[in-house]
Amino acid sequence: MAAETIDYLRISLIDRCNFRCQYCMPEGTDLQFALQQDLLTDGELLLLLREVLMPAGFRRFRLTGGEPLLRPGVVEITQAIAQFPETLDLSLTTNAFLLKDLAQPLYDAGLRRINISLDSLIPETFDVIIGNRGRSRWKQVWDGIQAAHRAGFDPLKLNVVVIPGINDQEVEALAALTLDRQWHVRFIEFMPIGNQDLFADRGWIDSEQLRQRIRSRWGLTTGWVAGNGPADVFQIPGAKGTIGFISQMSECFCDRCNRMRLSADGWLRPCLLNESSQIDLKSQLRSGIDLQDLRAQVSQLIQAKPEINFKNRESGTTGRYARTMSQIGG
Ligand SMILES: Nc1nc2c(ncn2[C@@H]2O[C@H](COP(=O)(O)OP(=O)(O)OP(=O)(O)O)[C@@H](O)[C@H]2O)c(=O)[nH]1
Ligand SMILES: C[S@@+](CC[C@H](N)C(=O)[O-])C[C@H]1O[C@@H](n2cnc3c(N)ncnc32)[C@H](O)[C@@H]1O
Ligand code: SF4
Ligand code: SF4
């Protein structure tokens, strides 16, 4: 099989977050955040995109983090990337806590699709998962989702990390959101990255089990929604939205991997789980390297990526990873 075209770049705008999700950056862990002076500036990010990454072939971009809406200037950065003629697709992944006031400005800046984390419809459960520090956050997140809906984001996707014994009983209720709304709910298998102890304690649920539950309640057919990621898409017959499954534990989709990550501190990372072969774009840029040299390094990394991909992983592997999703650029 020919290697996948690598044209999807996940750009982390910031490694910090206003949530402390149990599966990602749980309260009390010693997290090492990048120093302000080590973050790519807006100018450096846009220069790297225009002069290095786009010429190397990247055309589809996702803004993520950490929590990307905490990045000052997120609307301006979005607008600049949307306006590059090379940009074929631009989207953003967020926890939606700050989305209520930013949904419309982001839409006006040219963003058209958005993925929002929503792990529970029950405020108390939600607050336990996201580590609310005594303040309920569910309502503000729900208001953010409504604001995105009103602004016209399409597709609007909701990401649910399924944690056994915590939110797995809500799968049907979350799936039911797709019945009369054109929203796309995706169930994500919990990965052993970010919180090894919770993972060891709870484990993960195979997407096929969830599909069976939904199938026996409503039936399930194959579906389609625009996207660049690894979700398998289904639909309840007659529903307006779709249901996706991101099954990185029960299946290995590395052989069709089309993406790299740019961290907030300027490292280009060819794989989420294999930590080798990363390039420090920021330091080289700051030391005045010829941009043609940087382009050559990136092109070489794209060539080498199929060998770096975390392929041939055993189903259900539980290796330990040094960094969290928020640090890598989830
Ligand atoms: N193992 C693995 N999991 C990934 C990778 N990319 C995304 N995921 C998982 O997919 C989840 C959802 O990612 P999103 O940020 O919503 O992006 P996406 O699914 O690529 O987006 P679409 O373009 O809408 O398909 C992440 O939280 C991860 O759990 C990857 O490269 N490797
Ligand atoms: C790191 S977050 C960054 C964007 C934003 N803060 C958010 O939560 O949507 C991106 C995605 O990573 C997922 N994620 C984080 N830790 C994970 C884990 N251990 N297993 C599976 N998905 C995880 C989150 O659910 C979210 O959908
Ligand atoms: S999943 Fe997103 S919202 Fe939750 S802690 Fe990680 S970066 Fe923050
Ligand atoms: S683990 Fe690595 S190779 Fe596999 S899908 Fe994720 S980024 Fe791609």
Side-chain angles (χ1 to χ4, degrees):
M1 195 178 72
E4 197 76 33
T5 304
I6 293 145
D7 67 351
Y8 174 19
L9 186 69
R10 297 175 65 96
I11 303 169
S12 175
L13 291 183
I14 188 163
D15 58 352
R16 289 166 198 264
C17 188
N18 40 5
F19 283 9
R20 288 289 176 272
C21 298
Q22 289 191 34
Y23 50 74
C24 180
M25 47 162 103
E27 196 73 74
T29 353
D30 181 24
L31 294 161
Q32 309 287 329
F33 294 113
L35 299 172
Q36 182 65 32
Q37 67 263 28
D38 289 332
L39 299 183
L40 287 175
T41 63
D42 296 4
E44 288 170 335
L45 170 61
L46 297 173
L47 178 74
L48 282 175
L49 284 172
R50 196 180 60 232
E51 302 293 336
V52 178
L53 295 157
M54 287 176 169
F58 289 101
R59 295 285 180 274
R60 302 168 204 277
F61 304 97
R62 172 167 297 281
L63 305 177
T64 179
E67 176 43 46
L69 301 188
L70 288 176
R71 167 92 183 213
V74 62
V75 173
E76 290 73 19
I77 294 171
T78 302
Q79 182 162 32
I81 300 176
Q83 283 177 352
F84 285 127
E86 289 86 352
T87 301
L88 291 182
D89 185 45
L90 175 63
S91 50
L92 176 138
T93 304
T94 174
N95 64 28
F97 190 63
L98 300 175
L99 193 56
K100 190 172 165 213
D101 294 333
L102 282 170
Q104 192 63 52
L106 284 167
Y107 191 90
D108 295 343
L111 189 71
R112 286 294 175 268
R113 59 189 203 93
I114 197 161
N115 295 2
I116 299 172
S117 292
L118 181 74
D119 294 322
S120 175
L121 292 170
I122 304 168
E124 293 73 21
T125 306
F126 180 82
D127 288 332
V128 166
I129 295 174
I130 62 116
N132 73 334
R133 287 174 271 184
R135 190 173 144 216
S136 185
R137 313 261 178 136
W138 188 87
K139 177 69 169 56
Q140 189 165 328
V141 166
W142 187 251
D143 289 347
I145 296 171
Q146 300 295 343
H149 176 70
R150 276 195 305 277
F153 285 101
D154 182 20
L156 186 163
K157 300 183 185 178
L158 299 178
N159 282 341
V160 183
V161 176
V162 181
I163 312 170
I166 298 186
N167 62 351
D168 57 318
Q169 288 317 312
E170 287 189 63
V171 163
E172 285 84 354
L174 286 155
L177 290 175
T178 67
L179 292 172
D180 52 10
R181 296 174 181 84
Q182 209 186 327
W183 292 359
H184 306 274
V185 174
R186 290 119 50 86
F187 297 108
I188 300 173
E189 289 175 353
F190 179 20
M191 273 193 288
I193 183 170
N195 189 342
Q196 307 285 346
D197 296 340
L198 182 70
F199 186 89
D201 185 40
R202 301 285 172 166
W204 55 281
I205 300 183
D206 191 327
S207 293
E208 182 50 30
Q209 270 187 42
L210 304 183
R211 277 196 289 273
Q212 280 299 352
R213 278 169 52 184
I214 296 169
R215 198 178 278 127
S216 64
R217 173 88 167 260
W218 290 287
L220 207 53
T221 57
T222 52
W224 182 86
V225 63
N228 302 315
D232 299 315
V233 184
F234 293 79
Q235 190 160 32
I236 295 173
K240 287 191 175 160
T242 66
I243 301 178
F245 297 89
I246 299 175
S247 314
Q248 60 268 51
M249 298 303 292
S250 62
E251 57 169 280
C252 182
F253 38 69
C254 301
D255 60 346
R256 49 184 161 105
C257 184
N258 55 358
R259 79 215 51 194
M260 290 201 194
R261 290 172 162 80
L262 179 64
S263 69
D265 58 354
W267 285 80
L268 185 65
R269 299 183 160 147
C271 175
L272 178 66
L273 300 181
N274 180 349
E275 300 185 353
S276 69
S277 311
Q278 308 174 37
I279 304 180
D280 182 354
L281 293 179
K282 181 204 64 204
S283 299
Q284 297 190 75
L285 184 69
R286 288 186 184 173
S287 68
I289 190 174
D290 185 338
L291 293 179
Q292 206 170 331
D293 284 2
L294 268 193
R295 277 198 289 275
Q297 289 178 34
V298 172
S299 297
Q300 229 165 30
L301 189 62
I302 290 176
Q303 293 287 321
K305 178 165 156 71
E307 293 311 312
I308 299 165
N309 283 354
F310 205 72
K311 52 190 184 275
N312 302 328
R313 185 164 51 87
E314 294 290 315
S315 164
T317 192
T318 56
R320 297 184 81 86
Y321 306 109
R323 294 180 312 240
T324 65
M325 287 287 272
S326 57
Q327 289 168 315
I328 304 165

